[in-house]
Amino acid sequence: MTDTLTLRRPDDWHLHLRDGAMMEAVLPETARHFARAIVMPNLVPPVVTGAEAAAYRERILKANPGRGTFEPLMTLYLTEATDPEDVAAAHASGLVKAVKLYPAGATTNSASGVRDFDKVRPVLEKMAEIGLPLCTHGEVVTPEVDIFDREAVFIDTVLDPIRRKTPGLRVVMEHITTKDGVDYVSAQGDDMGGTITTHHLVINRNHILVGGIKPHYYCLPVAKRETHRLALVAAATSGDAHFFLGTDSAPHLDHDKESSCGCAGCFTATNTMSILAEVFEREGKLENLEKFTSVNGPNFYRLPLNEATITLRKGAPVTYPAKIDSANGPVTVFDPQMPLHWSVDA
Ligand code: NCD
Ligand code: ZN
C-alpha cells in the first residue's frame, strides 16, 4: 500500500489573495505547499492595468513570509475599457499570465466586469495573437436564468461564441461545477483548459442547504447536485490534460459570511493538498494527483514544471485549525466533513 507520495510541488491556477491584512493572513497558507498561483484581480478597485498588477505583485512579494519560494502569477481584470496595448506590454514583460473575464455582477467584486462582449473584441484578438490565456468566470447573470443553470447557459451563450469568434484564443473555464462544463471542456482541443476547485470535489448543494443554512459552503459558482460533483471527481482524477487545480480559495471574514447577505467563497488554501489526496485515493487514482496539481496546469500555461517536490504521508487522520486569524477577525477553513489521512511534510 502506498503510504508516501512525492509530487512535483503543486501550483494553484485560481487563487484569491486579497490585499492588506487579509493577504498577510492567507498568503502563508498557500505558500506553505504551493510553488505558484494565478492570483485573481478582483480587488476593490480591481487590478486592471499592467501598472496595477506590478504594484500588487510587489505587495504580495513583500508580504510573503520569507522562504522566497512562492511565485505569484499576475492577472488583469478585463473591463470594457481595457487597452489591448497595455495587455500586450504586461504580457511581453513577463508580468501577466492571464486576463480574467467576469461577466458584470456575477460574483464578489465583479461590478467592473464585461456587459457588452463586442467591446472587448480587440483585447481578445490581441490575446489570441500573443497566446495570452483568458480565464473565465463561467456564469451568466441574466436574472431570468436560474442560479443552478448559469454555468450551462454561459457555455452556450458566451463561452462557445467567444471561442468561435476568436480562433486561437486560449481559454480556461474556471471552477467548473457541472457535468456540462466537464463535457464541454474535455471535447475541445489543447487551447481549452478547465480548473476544478477542491471544495467542488467534496460538496454538493445539500451541504449548503440541509439541516440549516451553512454559509461556509456557499461559494460561486454555487455547488450543484451530486451527479455534477461525481462528474467533477471523474474529470479531476482522470489525468485528462484539460483539467487542473484552481482552488478558488476565497477568504472572507467570518462575520461577512455569517450574515443575512453572506459573501460567496470557501477558504481551502490550508488543507487543500490533504483533501485532494483523500479524494484521489478514494477513487483509486492517486497516481493522477500530480497531473492535476502539478503537470496539466503548467503545460496549459506553457510554463516549466516545478522541479521542487512535496511529500505527503498517510497515517492517522490529520487535523487542521478550524479558523485562521487575520488582523480584522477570523476566517473559517473549509471543513470537508471527512477524515483526512494524508499530511504534507513541512
Ligand atoms: C470569489 C471571491 O470571494 O472573490 N468568491 C467565490 O465564491 N468563488 C469570487 C469568485 O471567484 O467567484
Ligand atoms: Zn475565484
Side-chain angles (χ1 to χ4, degrees), residues 8-343:
R8 286 181 189 274
R9 214 167 160 75
D11 301 308
D12 185 347
W13 300 96
H14 180 136
L15 176 67
H16 298 271
L17 281 179
R18 315 299 192 204
D19 214 342
M22 183 62 96
M23 178 165 72
E24 301 267 344
V26 300
L27 181 56
E29 302 301 299
T30 288
R32 192 176 298 132
H33 298 156
F34 290 86
R36 298 172 288 198
I38 283 276
V39 180
M40 285 296 120
N42 64 331
L43 305 182
V44 191
V47 179
V48 174
T49 64
E52 288 161 359
Y56 185 29
R57 182 170 180 277
E58 285 311 310
R59 296 199 297 281
I60 296 168
L61 293 178
K62 224 171 126 193
N64 195 10
R67 276 184 280 174
T69 52
F70 175 72
E71 189 189 354
L73 306 175
M74 306 314 291
T75 62
L76 298 178
Y77 186 119
L78 182 62
T79 73
E80 291 176 5
T82 295
D83 172 7
E85 293 313 318
D86 181 62
V87 171
H91 173 252
S93 73
L95 170 70
V96 155
K97 300 294 188 242
V99 172
K100 175 72 187 239
L101 165 68
Y102 288 101
T107 187
T108 311
N109 306 337
S110 61
S112 321
V114 177
R115 284 184 173 78
D116 177 354
F117 288 89
D118 284 334
K119 295 220 171 102
V120 297
R121 292 233 53 78
V123 184
L124 299 181
E125 269 152 28
K126 177 57 83 175
M127 289 168 62
E129 182 192 318
I130 63 182
L132 179 61
L134 179 73
C135 291
T136 58
H137 181 105
E139 291 190 287
V140 294
V141 292
T142 332
E144 296 74 46
V145 177
D146 188 277
I147 190 164
F148 290 101
D149 300 331
R150 287 176 163 198
E151 182 170 296
V153 174
F154 177 86
I155 296 169
D156 293 339
T157 63
V158 181
L159 180 60
D160 198 58
I162 283 181
R163 294 186 62 241
R164 283 177 196 280
K165 275 194 204 161
T166 328
L169 182 65
R170 304 177 61 69
V171 181
V172 183
M173 184 171 178
E174 300 199 277
H175 42 50
I176 301 172
T177 60
T178 57
K179 181 173 186 307
D180 313 64
V182 166
D183 290 347
Y184 180 81
V185 170
S186 60
Q188 310 305 311
D190 63 7
D191 56 352
M192 181 84 219
T195 59
I196 301 177
T197 77
T198 310
H199 49 283
H200 288 116
L201 294 174
V202 175
I203 62 167
N204 61 37
R205 61 197 196 178
N206 284 10
H207 288 77
I208 313 169
L209 296 171
V210 173
I213 191 156
K214 311 281 171 40
H216 294 291
Y217 293 120
Y218 172 61
C219 65
L220 289 171
V222 70
K224 309 297 191 297
R225 60 170 69 241
E226 178 67 1
T227 45
H228 294 293
R229 187 190 70 86
L230 293 173
L232 298 172
V233 170
T237 61
S238 67
D240 181 335
H242 289 97
F243 298 106
F244 37 96
L245 174 65
T247 64
D248 196 13
S249 182
H252 292 276
L253 296 174
D254 278 356
H255 75 76
D256 290 331
K257 287 197 63 77
E258 298 164 6
S259 148
S260 62
C261 183
C263 294
C266 295
F267 177 65
T268 54
T270 309
N271 52 6
T272 274
M273 289 309 295
S274 288
I275 296 172
L276 292 176
E278 198 76 29
V279 169
F280 276 65
E281 183 176 44
R282 286 183 177 196
E283 293 302 298
K285 292 287 176 58
L286 267 181
E287 75 273 14
N288 287 338
L289 179 59
E290 186 179 49
K291 295 193 186 99
F292 183 65
T293 62
S294 320
V295 174
N296 295 346
N299 283 347
F300 178 86
Y301 276 91
R302 297 174 172 159
L303 292 170
L305 306 188
N306 296 317
E307 290 303 331
T309 59
I310 57 164
T311 298
L312 292 98
R313 280 175 214 284
K314 190 174 181 187
V318 279
T319 52
Y320 286 89
K323 297 172 192 290
I324 65 159
D325 283 318
S326 83
N328 296 324
V331 176
T332 292
V333 175
F334 175 74
D335 174 3
Q337 296 187 3
M338 61 179 170
L340 302 177
H341 297 90
W342 291 88
S343 62

